[in-house]
Amino acid sequence: MERGDTERIDITISSRFENIELVQVIAEHLCENAGVDEDGSHWIGMAVREAVANAIKHGNKLDVRKKVNATFELQDGVDLTISISDQGEGFDPEKVSDPLNPQNLMKTSGRGIFYMKTFMDQVNYSFNAGGGTSLVMRKNLAKGSGIATTKA
Amino acid sequence: MERGDTERIDITISSRFENIELVQVIAEHLCENAGVDEDGSHWIGMAVREAVANAIKHGNKLDVRKKVNATFELQDGVDLTISISDQGEGFDPEKVSDPLNPQNLMKTSGRGIFYMKTFMDQVNYSFNAGGGTSLVMRKNLAKGSGIATTKA
Amino acid sequence: MKATTRSVDGVEIISLQGKITIGAGDTQLREVIQNALGSGKTNILLDMSGVTTIDSSGIGELVGSFTTVTNRGGKLKLLHLPAKLNELLHVTQLITVFEVYDNEQDALKSF
Amino acid sequence: MKATTRSVDGVEIISLQGKITIGAGDTQLREVIQNALGSGKTNILLDMSGVTTIDSSGIGELVGSFTTVTNRGGKLKLLHLPAKLNELLHVTQLITVFEVYDNEQDALKSF
Ligand SMILES: Nc1ncnc2c1ncn2[C@@H]1O[C@H](COP(=O)(O)OP(=O)(O)O)[C@@H](O)[C@H]1O
Ligand SMILES: Nc1ncnc2c1ncn2[C@@H]1O[C@H](COP(=O)(O)OP(=O)(O)O)[C@@H](O)[C@H]1O
């Protein structure tokens, strides 16, 4: 990939947990093709896994007729933008509690978005008027992979 | 997956050889999720690899602005239909020569479609009026994997 | 996920293998722990070396297992954390919750 | 694809590792063979044990290499075929073209 190039991959799955892996492997292969090391690719793949799991579970509520779409855009071989959307009812991201808060430490859920923010540079939610959640995650692949030291 | 269920996965890539693998891994994972053993999944993945390689090379002639679309449909957990389409000019499948013909044995190309036919139950081409080749490959996953004994 | 269990010095060593992810392994982990508790084993050492992938649901199940075992008066500790699981427990500060061992002998002695 | 080369008894043993697929490895294989021929080595044994994936382009390059080497009065033979590559050569009847060995000593003696 050279400067000015944009690579775009688009995948749509139905809402089954088994399909999470299909989207995750796309992310990992795309990163490896872009020269990211195995660990770095793994963490990006994990952010994607968490995002798709949420779209299937909280968004589409496991309704197999509802779809999850993922789009990967790689600009100049380094700027990765991953968009994941579902056909659910949305939610208020402000109301999501902080898993690092001591009173949440022993909760059995609530760490998915936190992991996405940890592994990606940016995580943004938007909600379509007609329903459905869109999540856009960005990562500069040149900045080094692994766990980001500052959290978004 | 239960009877009556249809699983559908859709992926679009631009025409780069590095992207072949992305479609191939989808095929392999989908087969493994459907209970196909590693070898069987590998052969189906290889048929997909050959189909996508042709779409990129012969169809889209490596024009990265042109897309290759692949759709995987799994019915009742056993009937797999894979459709691969490009934005090229098509070709005459009748004119493709038989790689087993002794005079073709030492050719350095011309085995892609043959491998697809070997690994899948059915391979059909169709050509859209507006340009573009569509290839539909079918495989009954219950019939046992590996190399088909009768060739289409 | 697969789990294999052996008892050493009154400690139930449960080796987990494969994925502990949403819809695959998360509920199985819960069952494995329930089974151990059901047969009166409350000192549990989870050998994590064979865990290939874990996600936030798997991490959540680990936390749930810890709570369940502790509430029954038992102890749940971790052995042989793969590097990536270690990172996942660190960033969520869960590493402060679990007692983690690199060495089975040391782990057994600690119960 | 990676290739490592050593000479034994006048035979160039070239170990191929990784993928020999369209756009990745197919042209590299051609170069490796050209280099060997360019430095006067015409007896070539390709050790295929490290080949992880091959497609019809890779198979085509193997056939092309065979022809190139034969036309130069040399011999190209194959060592340690992975099971899947063996199948791919069988179904295309190319297995009748290549001399294939399981054992390096036997292969070397045959030149
Ligand atoms: N795509 C989505 N659609 C609807 N709600 C969502 C979506 N993603 C996240 N949420 C909400 O945000 C909460 C926090 O998500 P997360 O941090 O991933 O933890 P968990 O999934 O374990 O609850 C979820 O419990 C859910 O209420
Ligand atoms: N998607 C396609 N678009 C245009 N032509 C194609 C396409 N797929 C195959 N062909 C034609 O069919 C021929 C045989 O294809 P194949 O058996 O895969 O062998 P190879 O790709 O090595 O030539 C190709 O050389 C090409 O002319």
Side-chain angles (χ1 to χ4, degrees), chain A residues 7 10-12 14 16 19, chain B residues 7 10-12 14 16 19:
Chain A
E7 174 57 44
D10 195 283
I11 176 168
T12 305
S14 50
R16 289 180 213 274
N19 292 335
Chain B
E7 175 56 44
D10 194 285
I11 176 168
T12 304
S14 50
R16 290 179 212 275
N19 292 336

Side-chain angles (χ1 to χ4, degrees), chain A residues 9-58:
Chain A
I9 313 275
D10 195 283
I11 176 168
T12 305
I13 59 164
S14 50
S15 302
R16 289 180 213 274
F17 289 140
E18 306 97 274
N19 292 335
I20 296 174
E21 213 163 83
L22 304 180
V23 189
Q24 183 184 4
V25 292
I26 295 283
E28 289 169 356
H29 273 261
L30 197 64
C31 290
E32 280 167 31
N33 284 350
V36 178
D37 64 17
E38 206 231 288
D39 276 12
S41 300
H42 174 88
W43 296 125
I44 293 171
M46 176 147 183
V48 168
R49 160 175 279 285
E50 297 293 338
V52 176
N54 279 354
I56 291 175
K57 184 180 178 182
H58 302 303

Side-chain angles (χ1 to χ4, degrees), chain A residues 6-13 22-24 26-27 30-31 44 47-48 51-52 55 67-75 79-86 120 133-139, chain B residues 10-14 22 67:
Chain A
T6 303
E7 174 57 44
R8 199 186 143 98
I9 313 275
D10 195 283
I11 176 168
T12 305
I13 59 164
L22 304 180
V23 189
Q24 183 184 4
I26 295 283
L30 197 64
C31 290
I44 293 171
V48 168
V52 176
K67 304 288 180 187
V68 176
N69 179 266
T71 303
F72 299 87
E73 270 187 2
L74 186 61
Q75 284 213 324
D79 281 312
L80 180 64
T81 305
I82 303 173
S83 309
I84 290 169
S85 58
D86 62 52
M120 304 296 285
T133 297
S134 292
L135 162 60
V136 177
M137 305 192 283
R138 287 176 212 278
K139 176 94 185 167
Chain B
D10 194 285
I11 176 168
T12 304
I13 58 165
S14 50
L22 304 181
K67 303 289 181 186

Side-chain angles (χ1 to χ4, degrees), chain D residues 31-90:
Chain D
E31 279 165 32
V32 166
I33 299 293
Q34 294 293 356
N35 286 347
L37 292 177
S39 55
K41 321 279 188 181
T42 54
N43 285 336
I44 297 175
L45 181 62
L46 292 181
D47 182 344
M48 308 300 285
S49 56
V51 174
T52 52
T53 320
I54 194 162
D55 63 4
S56 70
S57 293
I59 297 284
E61 272 310 314
L62 276 184
V63 176
S65 301
F66 180 90
T67 304
T68 309
V69 173
T70 308
N71 287 347
R72 290 281 287 268
K75 284 181 183 155
L76 182 138
K77 306 186 182 192
L78 304 179
L79 179 66
H80 298 319
L81 282 194
K84 283 175 184 135
L85 172 51
N86 186 45
E87 289 274 15
L88 292 176
L89 292 178
H90 261 282

Side-chain angles (χ1 to χ4, degrees), chain B residues 43-56 58 82-84 86 91 96 99 110-125 133-139 146-148 150-152, chain D residues 55-56 88 91-92:
Chain B
W43 295 125
I44 293 171
M46 175 146 184
V48 169
R49 158 176 282 285
E50 296 293 339
V52 176
N54 280 353
I56 291 175
H58 302 302
I82 304 173
S83 308
I84 289 169
D86 62 53
F91 69 108
V96 171
R111 295 179 187 85
I113 297 174
F114 175 82
Y115 281 134
M116 293 178 220
K117 288 184 176 169
T118 303
F119 303 138
M120 303 297 284
D121 298 335
Q122 268 184 51
V123 174
N124 290 303
Y125 280 97
T133 297
S134 292
L135 162 60
V136 177
M137 304 192 283
R138 286 176 212 280
K139 176 94 184 167
I147 292 182
T150 44
K151 269 137 218 152
Chain D
D55 63 4
S56 70
L88 292 176
V91 292
T92 49

